[in-house]
Short mmCIF file of all heavy atoms in Angstrom, two decimals:
data_model
loop_
_atom_site.label_atom_id
_atom_site.label_comp_id
_atom_site.label_asym_id
_atom_site.label_seq_id
_atom_site.Cartn_x
_atom_site.Cartn_y
_atom_site.Cartn_z
N THR B 69 100.95 94.49 108.09
CA THR B 69 102.13 93.70 108.41
C THR B 69 102.51 92.89 107.19
O THR B 69 101.68 92.14 106.65
CB THR B 69 101.87 92.76 109.59
OG1 THR B 69 101.47 93.52 110.73
CG2 THR B 69 103.14 91.98 109.94
N ILE B 70 103.76 93.03 106.76
CA ILE B 70 104.27 92.24 105.64
C ILE B 70 105.04 91.05 106.21
O ILE B 70 105.75 91.18 107.23
CB ILE B 70 105.15 93.10 104.72
CG1 ILE B 70 105.55 92.32 103.46
CG2 ILE B 70 106.39 93.62 105.45
CD1 ILE B 70 106.26 93.18 102.41
N SER B 71 104.89 89.90 105.59
CA SER B 71 105.60 88.71 106.03
C SER B 71 105.82 87.80 104.84
O SER B 71 105.27 88.02 103.75
CB SER B 71 104.81 87.99 107.14
OG SER B 71 103.54 87.56 106.65
N ARG B 72 106.63 86.75 105.06
CA ARG B 72 106.90 85.81 103.98
C ARG B 72 107.05 84.40 104.51
O ARG B 72 107.47 84.19 105.66
CB ARG B 72 108.14 86.24 103.21
CG ARG B 72 109.43 86.26 103.99
CD ARG B 72 110.54 87.00 103.21
NE ARG B 72 110.82 86.36 101.94
CZ ARG B 72 111.43 86.97 100.90
NH1 ARG B 72 111.80 88.24 101.02
NH2 ARG B 72 111.67 86.31 99.78
N ASP B 73 106.71 83.45 103.66
CA ASP B 73 106.84 82.02 103.97
C ASP B 73 107.96 81.49 103.09
O ASP B 73 107.78 81.37 101.87
CB ASP B 73 105.52 81.31 103.68
CG ASP B 73 105.58 79.81 103.95
OD1 ASP B 73 106.69 79.25 103.98
OD2 ASP B 73 104.52 79.21 104.12
N LYS B 74 109.08 81.18 103.69
CA LYS B 74 110.26 80.77 102.92
C LYS B 74 110.16 79.33 102.44
O LYS B 74 110.88 78.91 101.53
CB LYS B 74 111.52 80.97 103.75
CG LYS B 74 111.87 82.43 103.95
CD LYS B 74 113.16 82.58 104.75
CE LYS B 74 112.89 82.62 106.24
NZ LYS B 74 114.10 82.95 107.01
N VAL B 75 109.27 78.56 103.03
CA VAL B 75 109.12 77.15 102.63
C VAL B 75 108.30 77.04 101.36
O VAL B 75 108.66 76.33 100.41
CB VAL B 75 108.48 76.35 103.78
CG1 VAL B 75 108.19 74.92 103.31
CG2 VAL B 75 109.38 76.36 105.00
N ASP B 76 107.18 77.76 101.32
CA ASP B 76 106.25 77.63 100.20
C ASP B 76 106.31 78.80 99.23
O ASP B 76 105.49 78.88 98.32
CB ASP B 76 104.82 77.46 100.72
CG ASP B 76 104.64 76.14 101.45
OD1 ASP B 76 105.26 75.15 101.03
OD2 ASP B 76 103.89 76.11 102.45
N ASP B 77 107.27 79.71 99.42
CA ASP B 77 107.46 80.84 98.50
C ASP B 77 106.22 81.72 98.39
O ASP B 77 105.70 81.95 97.28
CB ASP B 77 107.91 80.36 97.11
CG ASP B 77 109.30 79.75 97.12
OD1 ASP B 77 109.95 79.77 98.19
OD2 ASP B 77 109.74 79.27 96.06
N PHE B 78 105.76 82.21 99.52
CA PHE B 78 104.63 83.12 99.55
C PHE B 78 105.02 84.42 100.25
O PHE B 78 105.81 84.42 101.20
CB PHE B 78 103.44 82.51 100.32
CG PHE B 78 102.52 81.69 99.46
CD1 PHE B 78 102.77 80.35 99.23
CD2 PHE B 78 101.40 82.27 98.88
CE1 PHE B 78 101.92 79.60 98.44
CE2 PHE B 78 100.54 81.52 98.10
CZ PHE B 78 100.80 80.18 97.88
N LEU B 79 104.42 85.50 99.77
CA LEU B 79 104.50 86.80 100.42
C LEU B 79 103.10 87.17 100.89
O LEU B 79 102.12 86.85 100.21
CB LEU B 79 105.00 87.85 99.41
CG LEU B 79 105.07 89.31 99.88
CD1 LEU B 79 106.23 89.49 100.85
CD2 LEU B 79 105.23 90.24 98.67
N PHE B 80 103.02 87.80 102.06
CA PHE B 80 101.72 88.14 102.61
C PHE B 80 101.65 89.63 102.99
O PHE B 80 102.68 90.26 103.26
CB PHE B 80 101.43 87.31 103.87
CG PHE B 80 101.46 85.83 103.64
CD1 PHE B 80 102.54 85.07 104.09
CD2 PHE B 80 100.43 85.19 102.98
CE1 PHE B 80 102.59 83.71 103.88
CE2 PHE B 80 100.46 83.82 102.77
CZ PHE B 80 101.55 83.09 103.21
N LEU B 81 100.43 90.13 103.04
CA LEU B 81 100.18 91.46 103.58
C LEU B 81 98.90 91.39 104.41
O LEU B 81 97.81 91.22 103.86
CB LEU B 81 100.02 92.50 102.47
CG LEU B 81 99.94 93.96 102.97
CD1 LEU B 81 101.30 94.41 103.51
CD2 LEU B 81 99.46 94.90 101.87
N GLN B 82 99.07 91.47 105.72
CA GLN B 82 97.94 91.51 106.64
C GLN B 82 97.51 92.96 106.81
O GLN B 82 98.34 93.79 107.22
CB GLN B 82 98.31 90.89 107.98
CG GLN B 82 97.21 90.97 109.03
CD GLN B 82 96.01 90.12 108.69
OE1 GLN B 82 96.16 88.97 108.26
NE2 GLN B 82 94.81 90.66 108.87
N MET B 83 96.27 93.26 106.49
CA MET B 83 95.78 94.63 106.58
C MET B 83 94.62 94.70 107.56
O MET B 83 93.64 93.94 107.44
CB MET B 83 95.32 95.12 105.20
CG MET B 83 96.41 95.06 104.14
SD MET B 83 95.95 95.90 102.62
CE MET B 83 94.58 94.87 102.10
N ASN B 84 94.73 95.60 108.53
CA ASN B 84 93.71 95.76 109.56
C ASN B 84 93.15 97.18 109.56
O ASN B 84 93.78 98.09 109.01
CB ASN B 84 94.30 95.45 110.94
CG ASN B 84 94.84 94.04 111.03
OD1 ASN B 84 94.26 93.10 110.49
ND2 ASN B 84 95.96 93.89 111.73
N ASN B 85 92.00 97.33 110.18
CA ASN B 85 91.37 98.66 110.31
C ASN B 85 91.35 99.38 108.96
O ASN B 85 91.79 100.53 108.85
CB ASN B 85 92.11 99.48 111.36
CG ASN B 85 91.35 100.73 111.75
OD1 ASN B 85 90.13 100.81 111.59
ND2 ASN B 85 92.06 101.72 112.25
N LEU B 86 90.82 98.71 107.97
CA LEU B 86 90.81 99.27 106.62
C LEU B 86 89.88 100.46 106.51
O LEU B 86 88.79 100.48 107.11
CB LEU B 86 90.41 98.19 105.61
CG LEU B 86 91.49 97.14 105.35
CD1 LEU B 86 90.90 95.90 104.71
CD2 LEU B 86 92.59 97.72 104.48
N GLY B 87 90.31 101.44 105.73
CA GLY B 87 89.49 102.62 105.46
C GLY B 87 89.22 102.74 103.96
O GLY B 87 89.86 102.06 103.16
N VAL B 88 88.31 103.63 103.59
CA VAL B 88 87.96 103.77 102.18
C VAL B 88 89.18 104.17 101.35
O VAL B 88 89.27 103.87 100.16
CB VAL B 88 86.81 104.78 101.99
CG1 VAL B 88 85.53 104.26 102.60
CG2 VAL B 88 87.18 106.13 102.56
N GLU B 89 90.13 104.84 102.00
CA GLU B 89 91.35 105.27 101.31
C GLU B 89 92.27 104.11 100.96
O GLU B 89 93.26 104.29 100.24
CB GLU B 89 92.10 106.30 102.16
CG GLU B 89 92.71 105.77 103.44
CD GLU B 89 91.73 105.69 104.60
OE1 GLU B 89 90.50 105.90 104.39
OE2 GLU B 89 92.20 105.45 105.73
N ASP B 90 91.97 102.94 101.47
CA ASP B 90 92.77 101.75 101.16
C ASP B 90 92.25 101.02 99.93
O ASP B 90 92.85 100.02 99.51
CB ASP B 90 92.80 100.80 102.35
CG ASP B 90 93.47 101.40 103.57
OD1 ASP B 90 94.58 101.97 103.40
OD2 ASP B 90 92.90 101.32 104.68
N THR B 91 91.17 101.49 99.35
CA THR B 91 90.65 100.91 98.11
C THR B 91 91.67 101.06 97.00
O THR B 91 92.08 102.18 96.67
CB THR B 91 89.32 101.58 97.71
OG1 THR B 91 88.33 101.28 98.68
CG2 THR B 91 88.86 101.10 96.34
N ALA B 92 92.11 99.94 96.44
CA ALA B 92 93.18 99.98 95.45
C ALA B 92 93.42 98.58 94.89
O ALA B 92 92.95 97.58 95.46
CB ALA B 92 94.48 100.49 96.08
N VAL B 93 94.16 98.53 93.81
CA VAL B 93 94.75 97.27 93.36
C VAL B 93 96.10 97.14 94.05
O VAL B 93 96.90 98.08 94.05
CB VAL B 93 94.92 97.26 91.82
CG1 VAL B 93 95.67 96.00 91.40
CG2 VAL B 93 93.57 97.33 91.12
N TYR B 94 96.33 95.98 94.63
CA TYR B 94 97.57 95.73 95.37
C TYR B 94 98.44 94.78 94.55
O TYR B 94 98.00 93.69 94.19
CB TYR B 94 97.26 95.13 96.74
CG TYR B 94 96.70 96.17 97.70
CD1 TYR B 94 95.41 96.65 97.55
CD2 TYR B 94 97.49 96.68 98.73
CE1 TYR B 94 94.90 97.62 98.41
CE2 TYR B 94 96.98 97.64 99.60
CZ TYR B 94 95.69 98.11 99.42
OH TYR B 94 95.20 99.07 100.27
N PHE B 95 99.66 95.24 94.29
CA PHE B 95 100.63 94.46 93.53
C PHE B 95 101.75 93.99 94.45
O PHE B 95 102.23 94.77 95.29
CB PHE B 95 101.29 95.31 92.44
CG PHE B 95 100.37 95.86 91.39
CD1 PHE B 95 99.90 97.16 91.47
CD2 PHE B 95 100.02 95.09 90.29
CE1 PHE B 95 99.09 97.69 90.49
CE2 PHE B 95 99.21 95.61 89.30
CZ PHE B 95 98.73 96.91 89.40
N CYS B 96 102.20 92.75 94.26
CA CYS B 96 103.48 92.37 94.86
C CYS B 96 104.55 92.53 93.78
O CYS B 96 104.27 92.38 92.59
CB CYS B 96 103.46 90.95 95.41
SG CYS B 96 103.22 89.63 94.20
N ALA B 97 105.74 92.89 94.20
CA ALA B 97 106.83 93.16 93.27
C ALA B 97 108.15 92.72 93.89
O ALA B 97 108.41 93.00 95.07
CB ALA B 97 106.88 94.64 92.90
N SER B 98 108.97 92.07 93.11
CA SER B 98 110.29 91.66 93.60
C SER B 98 111.23 92.86 93.61
O SER B 98 111.09 93.79 92.81
CB SER B 98 110.86 90.53 92.74
OG SER B 98 110.94 90.93 91.39
#
Side-chain angles (χ1 to χ4, degrees):
Chain B
T69 302
I70 187 172
S71 61
R72 62 193 300 160
D73 179 339
K74 289 182 272 188
V75 174
D76 293 325
D77 292 356
F78 272 87
L79 176 73
F80 302 106
L81 188 70
Q82 176 67 44
M83 302 190 296
N84 300 322
N85 192 23
L86 287 162
V88 294
E89 68 277 9
D90 296 312
T91 294
V93 174
Y94 286 73
F95 298 98
C96 64
S98 57

